[in-house]
Amino acid sequence: MNVFKRNFLLLFTFFIALPCFGWSLPKLSLNPAEQQQHIADAWADNAASLANMGGDESDSNSPNSGFDPADKIHGFSDIVGGVPQEVANIVDSFKNPKKYLDAGVKVPTAVLFVGEPGTGKTSIARAVVQEVGGALVSRSGSDFVEIWVGNGARKIRAAFAEARNIASRTRKKVFLFIDEIDAIGKRTDDGQQQNSEVQQTINALLKEMSGIEGYSSVIVMAATNFVQNVDPALMRSGRFTVIDIPLPDASKRELIFKHYCKNKKLSSNVDLA
């Protein structure tokens, strides 16, 4: 009986308990050398997961931090067709907060861009960061979708910790951009959340956002194509300043068409107007 209990505890630990903490099991191989390498890789991954369990560590070397030097978006002038006036007003409030605070206007701490796919929400977000002269920490909503309870919330805390770390190191305003935020806590057809992991992730995001007050060095920006799928807790008044990015009209479509036809060999009888 003691042997049975011991074997049961070993199987429970390796196949049920450890995966709940995000630990991985080594791959199986018939080759002894490969199996040894698989075991070493698994322990290395598990050690990194254990080191990040606190959730306050930041990854300043993340490939999603900052701008690609080859990025073509350097400001609003690079957005073909321009940006909505609301976006320009938001940028002005970030640059001149005292002017707005003296007038009794609250400077936004979180901005949500809503619009159809292809309307340039991500490009506008990157242009906002460049116009303000800040730094960027970029994530996708799917980055925070996890199977094991607590992992999504841990990644939320780590993303905010990374943004705060960059802000304290560079003395710049840091924008944490979450693309496709509707992927976090996406509702089912009956309007219910999917599981407790989703709830913990949403709660962690709300807690981090509630800690941003006044003219903070960390600003949350997000974008979604499906605002109806965003968790209602995130859409409550005071959470996000929602800005609609509309589809381009005829004149803007012409400008976009001409932009993408630059350096292209066109027939002499093609009229882009």
Side-chain angles (χ1 to χ4, degrees), residues 3-228:
V3 175
F4 175 77
K5 287 183 177 180
R6 183 182 61 187
N7 291 338
F8 176 78
L9 289 175
L10 287 174
L11 290 173
F12 178 84
T13 300
F14 280 100
F15 292 98
I16 298 179
L18 292 182
C20 288
F21 292 96
W23 284 33
S24 59
L25 298 174
K27 298 177 181 179
L28 298 179
S29 174
L30 296 177
N31 187 314
E34 289 183 358
Q35 183 62 47
Q36 186 176 4
Q37 183 61 43
H38 291 331
I39 294 174
D41 292 342
W43 277 112
D45 292 341
N46 294 337
S49 177
L50 180 62
N52 290 329
M53 284 297 289
D56 292 329
E57 291 80 3
S58 61
D59 182 9
S60 59
N61 295 322
S62 169
N64 291 326
S65 300
F67 280 97
D68 183 347
D71 193 348
K72 297 180 180 179
I73 303 297
H74 301 293
F76 290 161
S77 60
D78 296 309
I79 304 297
V80 180
V83 299
Q85 184 59 44
E86 294 91 335
V87 178
N89 293 341
I90 289 289
V91 168
D92 187 52
S93 69
F94 291 149
K95 287 177 156 182
N96 306 289
K98 190 175 184 302
K99 178 177 69 173
Y100 289 82
L101 294 175
D102 290 345
V105 178
K106 181 181 177 182
V107 176
T109 57
V111 180
L112 175 63
F113 297 120
V114 176
E116 297 290 328
T119 51
K121 298 180 295 295
T122 302
S123 295
I124 289 176
R126 297 177 74 85
V128 167
V129 180
Q130 293 287 42
E131 288 285 336
V132 176
L136 175 70
V137 175
S138 180
R139 295 289 188 273
S140 174
S142 59
D143 293 339
F144 305 110
V145 178
E146 292 286 343
I147 297 176
W148 309 114
V149 175
N151 279 358
R154 175 176 59 82
K155 289 185 176 182
I156 288 285
R157 293 191 294 269
F160 276 86
E162 178 182 346
R164 287 191 292 267
N165 181 46
I166 295 175
S168 63
R169 190 175 69 248
T170 62
R171 303 298 179 184
K172 290 183 177 181
K173 185 173 290 296
V174 178
F175 292 82
L176 174 57
F177 178 62
I178 304 176
D179 199 7
E180 298 175 351
I181 195 173
D182 54 278
I184 306 177
K186 184 175 181 179
R187 294 283 170 151
T188 58
D189 292 338
D190 58 1
Q192 300 297 316
Q193 285 183 340
Q194 297 173 6
N195 50 49
S196 58
E197 160 61 12
V198 168
Q199 185 62 56
Q200 284 202 20
T201 304
I202 291 292
N203 289 341
L205 179 57
L206 292 174
K207 182 178 179 181
E208 293 289 345
M209 291 177 61
S210 65
I212 301 175
E213 298 179 355
Y215 186 56
S216 174
S217 58
V218 176
I219 299 294
V220 178
M221 283 198 303
T224 179
N225 301 329
F226 307 103
V227 67
Q228 69 275 10

